[in-house]
Amino acid sequence: MNRGCEEPPTVREDAGARSAPCERTEPLGLVEPCAFGPSDAATTFALVGDSHAGQLRTAFAVMADQLGRRGYALTRNGCPYVRDGRPLPEPTFGECARFKREVPEWLRRHPEVKTVFVIGLPRNAATQDPANWSAAWDRFPASVERLVVLRDTPELAEDTLACVQDAGERPGTRCAVPRDQALVPDPAIAAAGQRGAATIDLTRFFCDATRCFPVIGGLLAYQDITHVTPAFARTLGPFLADEVRRLPSPS
């Protein structure tokens, strides 16, 4: 299903403009988990990555409620879960490295977490080599039985949101970005394929065969060129739940 061409004439406001709530739980160093979903759920998962994981937490919260699962967001802005991140000034670089060391330790202390979902902005990695992602995932403890990699969200052009503001009617169509420009290569998906990990691709909810849209169903989908709005993330939740239902059982 693609909703990109089903566009009312103007951008509408949405009551779900804030991220879904979550409960801060006991931190481990720089890992500050935020829990969501039923507290008595029999199935527990973690969402790991940078702000591109954080931006989809609202979608995962909807999924968790629909499927009766408990989730923990383990995210840090600008810090994808890769072996080698892009060079950043200190203390940011050192703190990111520490966060990535502490995530596996947190997972070891929480063996109830059997599935880990990961997503990250590819340009935040030092290299585009899929091995850079896979090497980080190798650090997950044996208690993590299943890894699920999400394809990164399509990327808008620098002037897309200004175009939306100025477009008047039908900004989604007028300000759409060519699909081959919006979908940059995602080495995490390549790494998942190499190791036989499950993947989820939500691209069809952003794009049709030729274009990707900043406004979808009359709702502003992006807050900047790479991050979706909480309101749009909420609409993705039921579709994410469908994708998770279809995942194969851990081997």
Side-chain angles (χ1 to χ4, degrees):
M1 176 181 178
N2 174 269
R3 299 168 293 172
C5 295
E6 301 171 5
E7 184 191 358
T10 57
V11 180
R12 65 180 172 86
E13 297 294 328
D14 192 273
R18 294 184 177 181
S19 297
C22 63
E23 174 191 354
R24 293 290 178 185
T25 62
E26 183 178 0
L28 173 64
L30 296 181
V31 178
E32 299 177 338
C34 205
F36 51 91
S39 59
D40 59 350
T43 301
T44 306
F45 67 89
L47 171 62
V48 173
D50 57 11
S51 61
H52 279 219
Q55 69 172 343
L56 290 179
R57 181 175 56 77
T58 294
F60 275 88
V62 173
M63 178 273 283
D65 286 339
Q66 288 195 0
L67 301 186
R69 302 184 182 187
R70 184 68 162 170
Y72 290 88
L74 313 178
T75 64
R76 188 173 184 84
N77 290 350
C79 187
Y81 194 76
V82 294
R83 180 188 58 201
D84 301 319
R86 65 185 175 94
L88 295 168
E90 294 293 357
T92 304
F93 185 84
E95 289 174 347
C96 179
R98 177 184 169 190
F99 171 80
K100 290 183 288 187
R101 291 194 302 270
E102 291 171 343
V103 164
E105 179 58 28
W106 187 92
L107 291 169
R108 271 189 286 272
R109 297 185 186 191
H110 294 270
E112 71 275 15
V113 175
K114 303 298 184 185
T115 297
V116 171
F117 295 88
V118 297
I119 183 172
L121 179 64
R123 76 163 74 111
N124 274 343
T127 76
Q128 296 300 297
D129 185 351
N132 192 25
W133 298 80
S134 192
W137 306 335
D138 287 340
R139 299 170 183 166
F140 290 148
S143 53
V144 174
E145 298 175 357
R146 177 166 60 182
L147 169 68
V148 183
V149 181
L150 275 74
R151 196 200 192 286
D152 192 30
T153 49
E155 185 170 321
L156 302 182
E158 291 289 345
D159 61 350
T160 302
L161 293 183
C163 174
V164 170
Q165 291 181 339
D166 297 338
E169 291 194 351
R170 304 200 177 279
T173 300
R174 294 182 181 181
C175 304
V177 178
R179 182 184 173 103
D180 60 359
Q181 175 183 333
L183 293 178
V184 301
D186 191 338
I189 292 296
Q194 291 172 1
R195 64 191 293 145
T199 61
I200 291 176
D201 188 346
L202 299 176
T203 299
R204 67 188 182 280
F205 302 112
F206 295 84
C207 311
D208 65 15
T210 60
R211 299 171 298 171
C212 298
F213 301 91
V215 177
I216 300 170
L219 182 65
L220 184 64
Y222 285 81
Q223 54 187 320
D224 58 35
I225 67 170
T226 66
H227 295 88
V228 301
T229 61
F232 186 70
R234 183 171 281 103
T235 73
L236 292 174
F239 303 105
L240 177 62
D242 289 342
E243 294 286 337
V244 173
R245 287 189 189 97
R246 287 193 286 267
L247 290 174
S249 298
S251 58

